């Protein structure tokens, strides 16, 4: 064949094969080469164009490709076995196994494992002029074959060692080059134990690994070399599970760069927002789905506001009231007859069960959203709807059960959140166990919680989801008709086709009545009188599964009649174009049958509200606004929750009338022992507030505080 011309030496200089430019660096001769070719009459075309090129990221200097002699691993000989072994592994996300990684394996070529470097593991191959070759397997073997004691394996020492020829020919000398560092990385499962010379039992117990984790770029790096070497040595994958993370980019979408300084200082982010916020931001991001994340400090801040503060507020709510009432847990939360207590304990155990299931499959992206949603439910559903239980005087049984429930949930939540938000989990745990002696020194020494499935009530969880949708719908409707939440409305019709759902909702009426501020509720199962139902295909879910059939199936879903849609909602499946379709494959849509401004719909529930607002309702709304302003003044005055006060108010017009009509309610809600309508409030603490453009002056004088108590 034609010999390969390689006129460039190891320093990037032209050799004597190019006499005109011998000894010159190749990138510095471009213009001279063009001039030479032009002078010779051989120039066809000359132009300049912008393109990407390889460069050294340390020195920012161009690199050139140069043909070099290399040693290879014969990957193509075992490629089929590698592909088979890949099928025994589980990937997170799962599509990578047969997608990006699987396709790479199917097209694998022999692997060049030698590099021309000084630093690195020397190629363990000795060869003589006659062609005899020995591959050395260990330091002991090299010492035995060479007869020399070996203390240092670096090139400058190892290259001095020669091995006598076993056949009496010339001595064997080590060949040039070092191993590709990825060969060493792929050998990690064996090298970490010193296998096969040492730790045979330990290696056998720990091989293959339960899981490994690295970035998406390692599908052609570490993941690949691990699989090649594991197959070559043992014909098996050296790992059972692999968790693949995406890459973190700067907020502008570019690669993070020290020189460009296009990212916030990590220590500043930690000092400003805390390690827990940063951890949760990253764990609940596209990175855990092997996708790119544009890092935003605003996202970290949002985690603090949206998650950590809500968790802390729930914990703080419990601590404050528990200290007031000197509550000490007995652990009998399971006996509570309160539906909301039962619901929260059910949600907790469902969460534990889901966390175990998803963690056992290494699916972090399905774990953290559930934890964060639970914190949302704890704050915005349980405490918000149940707070009046904690406001009662004394310790009636329903109040004690509320305490028992909230204590159990907060304590268990600290254990569940420990791997994800370790610092806040430890802080809450330490205080919650401060009155007990039967707990560990740290939350991180606790056994991870196990679910008690006997406490899971799926019916309760379903009905509370419906109640949450009902409250959400009511708030949105008030915004649409411009009626403030503080103004009571006279009536609401709650509409649902299932009478069983409506009968269960009635039991929760005391909770959502206060939240929605509606005087009277009616329940109607004749949904068809108000609502028309339609369906649309869930394209993001069905598209990847159906491919070219998606269009036909989507048309079939649009043509479904009401009875079919009700079957889907009841949990049944349908056959459309020979494809099995379930509820998650479609989007059920509800809309008013006629233009009705008093009607609002949701996938789970519909409502019709009487929008009439009378002067009596406005008066009560003003009184509620007064309560809100006084509560804010109490907080500004640094009063503790059970401090009783003397309240002096100065106002006029409708606000004063509202106070006079609803004085008992205002005193009860603000822990006021005496309310004075004064012309000049003289409280120990005073401030001004505004209600509907009118000024109200508030004066607060706290009554004598009770003795300090033993506190959490």
């Amino acid at each position: 064949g034609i010999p390969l011309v390689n006129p460039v030496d190891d320093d990037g200089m032209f050799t004597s094969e190019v006499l005109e430019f011998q000894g010159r660096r190749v990138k510095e001769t471009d213009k001279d080469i063009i001039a030479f070719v032009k002078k010779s009459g051989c120039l066809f075309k000359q132009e300049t164009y912008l393109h990407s090129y390889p460069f050294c990221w340390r020195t920012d200097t161009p690199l050139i490709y140069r043909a070099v002699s290399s040693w290879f691993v014969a990957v193509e000989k075992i490629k089929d076995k590698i592909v088979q072994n890949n099928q025994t592994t589980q990937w997170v996300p799962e599509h990578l196994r047969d997608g990006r990684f699987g396709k790479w394996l199917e097209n694998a070529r022999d692997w060049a494992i030698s590099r021309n470097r000084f630093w690195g593991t020397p190629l363990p191959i000795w060869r003589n002029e006659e062609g005899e070759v020995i591959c050395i397997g260990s330091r002991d073997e090299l010492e035995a074959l060479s007869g020399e004691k070996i203390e240092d394996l670096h090139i400058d020492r190892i290259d001095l060692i020669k091995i006598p020829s076993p056949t009496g020919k010339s001595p064997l000398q080590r060949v040039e080059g070092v191993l590709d560092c990825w060969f060493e990385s792929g050998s990690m499962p064996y090298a970490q134990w010193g296998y096969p010379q040492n730790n045979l039992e330990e290696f056998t117990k720990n091989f293959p690994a339960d899981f490994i984790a690295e970035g998406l770029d390692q599908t052609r790096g570490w993941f690949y070399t691990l699989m090649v070497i594991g197959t070559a040595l043992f014909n098996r994958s050296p790992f059972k599970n692999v968790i693949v993370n995406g890459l973190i980019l700067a907020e502008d979408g570019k690669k993070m760069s020290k020189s460009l300084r296009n990212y916030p200082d990590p220590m500043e982010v930690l000092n400003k927002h805390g390690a827990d916020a940063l951890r949760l931001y990253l764990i609940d991001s596209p990175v855990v789905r092997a996708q790119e994340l544009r890092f935003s400090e605003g996202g970290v801040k949002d985690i603090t506001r949206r998650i950590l503060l809500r968790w802390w507020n729930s914990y703080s709510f419990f601590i404050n009231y528990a200290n007031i009432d000197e509550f000490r847990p007995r652990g009998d939360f399971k006996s509570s007859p309160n539906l909301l207590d039962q619901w929260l304990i059910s949600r907790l155990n469902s969460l534990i069960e889901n966390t175990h299931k998803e963690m056992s499959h290494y699916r972090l992206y399905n774990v953290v959203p559930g934890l964060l949603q639970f914190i949302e439910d704890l704050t915005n559903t349980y405490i918000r709807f149940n707070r009046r239980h904690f406001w009662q005087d004394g310790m009636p049984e329903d109040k004690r059960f509320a305490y028992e429930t909230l204590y159990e949930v907060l304590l268990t939540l600290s254990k569940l959140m420990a791997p994800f938000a370790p610092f806040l989990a430890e802080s809450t745990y330490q205080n919650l166990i401060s009155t007990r002696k039967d707990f560990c020194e740290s939350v991180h020494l606790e056994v991870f919680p196990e679910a008690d499935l006997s406490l899971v009530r799926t019916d309760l969880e379903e009905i509370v989801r419906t109640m949450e949708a009902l409250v959400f719908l009511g708030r949105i409707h008030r915004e649409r008709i411009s009626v403030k939440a503080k103004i009571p409305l006279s009536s609401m019709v709650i509409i649902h086709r299932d009478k069983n759902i409506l009968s269960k909702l009635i039991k929760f009426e005391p909770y959502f009545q206060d939240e929605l501020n509606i005087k009277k509720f009616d329940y109607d199962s004749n949904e068809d009188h108000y609502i028309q139902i339609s369906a649309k295909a869930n394209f993001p879910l069905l598209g990847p599964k159906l491919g070219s059939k998606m269009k036909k199936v989507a048309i079939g879903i649009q043509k479904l009649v009401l009875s079919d849609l009700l079957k889907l909602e009841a949990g049944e499946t349908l056959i459309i174009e020979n494809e099995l379709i379930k509820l998650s494959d479609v989007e059920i849509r509800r809309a008013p049958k006629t233009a009705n401004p008093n009607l609002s719909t949701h996938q789970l529930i519909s409502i019709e509200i009487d929008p009439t607002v009378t002067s009596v309702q406005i008066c009560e709304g003003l009184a509620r606004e007064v309560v809100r302003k006084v509560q804010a003044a109490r907080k500004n005055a640094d009063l503790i929750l059970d401090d009783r006060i003397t309240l002096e108010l100065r106002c006029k017009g409708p606000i004063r009338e509202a106070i006079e009509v609803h004085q008992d309610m205002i005193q009860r809600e603000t822990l006021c022992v005496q309310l004075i309508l004064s012309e000049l409030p003289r409280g120990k603490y005073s401030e001004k507030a505004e209600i509907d453009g009118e000024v109200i002056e508030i004066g607060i004088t706290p009554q004598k505080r009770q003795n300090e108590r033993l506190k959490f």
Side-chain angles (χ1 to χ4, degrees):
I2 301 173
L4 180 66
V5 177
N6 189 12
V8 182
D9 64 20
D10 291 346
D11 294 320
M13 306 289 192
F14 281 119
T15 66
S16 59
E17 290 181 302
V18 187
L19 285 174
E20 292 80 0
F21 306 104
Q22 181 179 358
R24 295 183 62 187
R25 198 170 301 278
V26 294
K27 291 300 292 181
E28 296 173 357
T29 57
D30 288 349
K31 292 182 179 179
D32 293 337
I33 290 173
I34 292 171
F36 177 82
V37 173
K38 187 176 183 180
K39 184 178 179 182
S40 303
C42 299
L43 182 65
F44 171 72
K45 186 179 182 182
Q46 175 186 348
E47 66 177 319
T48 300
Y49 64 96
L50 190 67
H51 64 94
S52 60
Y53 62 89
F55 66 94
C56 174
W57 57 271
R58 288 188 179 91
T59 62
D60 205 29
T61 53
L63 300 175
I64 62 169
Y65 288 109
R66 175 177 176 269
V68 296
S69 178
S70 298
W71 289 81
F72 287 80
V73 172
V75 171
E76 292 182 45
K77 289 183 179 180
I78 59 172
K79 184 168 69 174
D80 291 344
K81 292 180 179 179
I82 295 173
V83 170
Q84 285 178 346
N85 290 332
N86 181 44
Q87 293 301 307
T88 67
T89 62
Q90 176 176 290
W91 286 63
V92 181
E94 60 183 354
H95 65 81
L96 293 173
R97 187 191 69 180
D98 299 325
R100 184 183 176 110
F101 189 66
K103 295 293 188 290
W104 174 253
L105 294 183
E106 290 170 5
N107 296 286
R109 297 290 180 264
D110 289 345
W111 171 20
I113 60 165
S114 61
R115 298 291 183 271
N116 295 326
R117 307 277 192 277
F118 176 81
W119 298 110
T121 300
L123 281 166
I125 300 171
W126 269 253
R127 183 172 58 185
N128 62 12
E129 294 177 358
E130 291 81 8
E132 290 180 311
V133 178
I134 297 176
C135 184
I136 303 299
S138 68
R139 185 198 303 254
D140 292 342
E141 183 182 359
L142 183 55
E143 288 182 346
L145 291 175
S146 67
E148 297 187 31
K149 183 68 177 174
I150 299 170
E151 302 291 347
D152 189 340
L153 292 176
H154 287 97
I155 280 182
D156 58 329
R157 302 297 183 193
I158 213 78
D159 279 357
L160 301 177
I161 297 171
K162 297 182 180 180
I163 297 176
S165 167
T167 61
K169 297 176 182 175
S170 62
L172 283 75
Q173 184 82 32
R174 196 190 74 83
V175 301
E176 292 183 352
V178 298
L179 283 168
D180 173 9
C181 64
W182 289 111
F183 188 93
E184 297 170 305
S185 300
S187 303
M188 178 278 296
Y190 329 103
Q192 69 172 340
W193 294 107
Y195 178 87
Q197 283 77 21
N198 302 300
N199 301 309
L200 294 177
E201 186 177 346
E202 288 83 356
F203 170 74
T204 304
K205 285 180 182 177
N206 292 279
F207 185 83
D210 286 330
F211 80 93
I212 60 171
E214 249 294 356
L216 183 63
D217 54 326
Q218 295 307 316
T219 49
R220 300 180 181 185
W222 191 45
F223 301 150
Y224 174 66
T225 59
L226 280 170
M227 188 68 77
V228 169
I229 296 173
T231 299
L233 293 177
F234 297 101
N235 192 25
R236 67 189 304 184
S237 167
F239 52 84
K240 299 174 187 175
N241 299 276
V242 53
I243 303 169
V244 186
N245 62 268
L247 302 180
I248 302 177
L249 305 176
E251 194 166 3
D252 59 6
K254 296 178 181 177
K255 184 178 178 181
M256 287 188 176
S257 166
K258 290 180 182 177
S259 58
L260 295 177
R261 193 65 173 84
N262 58 347
Y263 58 89
D265 186 314
M267 293 311 299
E268 289 180 10
V269 173
L270 287 170
N271 291 333
K272 190 184 299 183
H273 306 289
D276 286 346
L278 181 57
R279 286 169 68 93
L280 288 175
Y281 171 70
L282 294 175
I283 294 173
D284 192 37
S285 76
V287 158
V288 296
R289 295 178 177 84
Q291 299 169 12
E292 290 182 347
L293 165 66
R294 294 189 177 193
F295 184 86
S296 166
E297 187 176 352
V300 181
K301 182 179 180 181
D302 186 58
I303 286 289
T304 303
R305 176 190 62 80
R306 189 168 52 90
I307 305 302
L308 296 180
L309 280 178
R310 288 183 180 176
W311 177 12
W312 183 262
N313 287 340
S314 299
Y315 159 80
S316 179
F317 175 90
F318 168 80
I319 294 298
N320 286 330
Y321 280 99
N323 283 330
I324 289 170
D325 290 315
E326 298 183 314
F327 167 75
R328 292 297 173 264
R330 300 178 193 172
D332 60 345
F333 59 91
K334 296 179 185 178
S335 307
S336 175
N338 181 283
L339 289 175
L340 217 52
D341 290 348
Q342 294 174 23
W343 165 78
L344 187 62
I345 293 299
S346 176
R347 279 283 289 116
L348 177 67
N349 283 277
S350 295
L351 174 69
I352 296 170
E353 177 70 7
N354 180 71
T355 301
H356 272 280
K357 184 181 95 175
E358 297 302 326
M359 288 288 279
S360 67
H361 290 91
Y362 303 94
R363 294 189 288 251
L364 270 178
Y365 50 80
N366 285 343
V367 173
V368 176
L371 290 164
L372 304 188
Q373 182 58 49
F374 182 81
I375 291 172
E376 177 84 12
D377 289 348
L378 173 63
T379 307
N380 283 346
T381 299
Y382 182 76
I383 290 178
R384 188 182 184 102
F385 290 178
N386 212 35
R387 55 186 181 265
R388 288 194 177 277
H389 278 90
F390 297 94
W391 292 350
Q392 300 175 82
D393 288 329
M395 187 62 77
E397 275 294 274
D398 62 334
K399 180 178 181 180
R400 189 180 67 79
F401 277 127
Y403 272 127
E404 293 283 359
T405 300
L406 190 50
Y407 178 82
E408 174 66 20
V409 167
L410 288 169
L411 185 61
T412 305
L413 183 62
S414 71
K415 301 173 191 177
L416 280 170
M417 289 295 290
F420 311 103
F423 296 99
L424 188 52
E426 179 74 352
S427 178
T428 56
Y429 174 86
Q430 288 296 336
N431 197 26
L432 289 168
I433 66 167
S434 63
T435 60
R436 304 176 65 173
K437 298 179 180 179
D438 54 342
F439 281 88
C440 296
E441 184 180 349
S442 166
V443 71
H444 303 295
L445 298 177
E446 283 277 4
V447 175
F448 201 72
E450 294 282 346
D452 183 347
L453 297 182
S454 69
L455 298 174
V456 173
R457 294 275 307 276
T458 53
D459 59 328
L460 271 183
E461 294 188 35
E462 179 185 356
I463 203 66
V464 172
R465 269 197 302 273
T466 304
M467 180 179 72
E468 290 169 340
L470 171 66
V471 171
F472 169 79
L473 206 54
R475 291 171 184 160
I476 296 297
H477 192 95
R478 276 182 176 271
E479 288 180 14
R480 199 171 78 220
I481 62 176
S482 302
V483 177
K484 293 180 179 179
K486 296 296 180 184
I487 296 177
L489 290 171
S490 59
S491 66
M492 170 191 285
V493 179
I494 299 175
I495 305 156
H496 198 286
R497 182 177 299 273
D498 190 338
K499 291 182 179 179
N500 186 43
I501 294 290
L502 294 178
S503 66
K504 289 178 180 178
L505 266 177
I506 292 173
K507 297 177 182 178
F508 284 86
E509 189 174 297
Y511 296 114
F512 60 76
Q513 181 170 34
D514 184 57
E515 192 63 33
L516 288 170
N517 198 11
I518 305 284
K519 294 292 184 182
K520 177 176 174 290
F521 291 94
D522 294 307
Y523 298 84
D524 194 338
S525 61
N526 186 16
E527 186 182 47
D528 294 336
H529 177 72
Y530 303 89
I531 304 297
Q532 60 182 8
I533 307 176
S534 61
K536 179 184 176 184
N538 185 343
F539 282 88
L541 187 65
L542 285 176
K545 185 169 65 174
L546 299 181
S548 59
K549 288 188 70 174
M550 182 67 235
K551 186 175 181 180
K552 287 185 177 180
V553 172
I555 293 172
I557 289 173
Q558 284 184 322
K559 291 180 179 179
L560 290 174
V561 296
L562 177 61
S563 58
D564 291 328
L565 299 179
L566 296 179
K567 287 179 182 178
L568 285 175
E569 289 195 321
E572 298 181 37
T573 55
L574 302 175
I575 303 294
I576 300 176
E577 297 290 334
N578 294 319
E579 295 290 340
L580 200 64
I581 300 299
K582 54 185 183 297
L583 181 60
S584 60
D585 296 324
V586 303
E587 296 176 15
I588 303 290
R589 297 181 172 184
R590 283 173 162 80
K593 274 192 169 179
T594 58
N596 183 350
N598 300 326
L599 189 65
S600 288
T601 64
H602 185 278
Q603 186 175 345
L604 295 178
I605 201 82
S606 300
I607 60 173
E608 186 178 49
I609 291 181
D610 180 355
T612 306
V613 176
T614 66
S615 59
V616 173
Q617 291 165 275
I618 292 172
C619 180
E620 184 176 337
L622 285 173
R624 288 174 177 266
E625 285 288 347
V626 170
V627 169
R628 191 166 69 89
K629 298 298 183 182
V630 173
Q631 299 290 36
R634 282 180 59 99
K635 185 175 181 180
N636 294 337
D638 289 329
L639 300 185
I640 61 174
L641 292 171
D642 64 338
D643 275 340
R644 268 53 179 175
I645 62 170
T646 296
L647 177 62
E648 298 180 54
L649 300 173
R650 182 187 184 187
C651 52
K652 58 184 179 180
I655 299 175
R656 185 183 181 99
E657 292 174 13
I659 294 170
E660 291 171 344
V661 172
H662 297 282
Q663 180 171 337
D664 290 345
M665 182 271 287
I666 294 171
Q667 287 192 231
R668 183 175 63 253
E669 296 288 331
T670 62
L671 298 184
C672 169
V673 296
Q674 184 180 16
L675 191 156
I676 303 169
L677 286 169
S678 169
E679 291 303 313
L680 186 63
R682 298 180 181 275
K684 184 176 180 181
Y685 176 85
S686 62
E687 66 174 52
K688 292 181 180 180
E690 191 175 291
I691 299 176
D692 291 347
E694 295 291 333
V695 174
I696 177 171
E697 295 184 43
I698 303 168
I700 293 176
T701 302
Q703 301 297 302
K704 186 177 180 181
R705 186 172 292 182
Q706 298 178 22
N707 295 332
E708 292 295 323
R709 310 178 179 94
L710 176 64
K711 294 185 177 181
F712 275 94

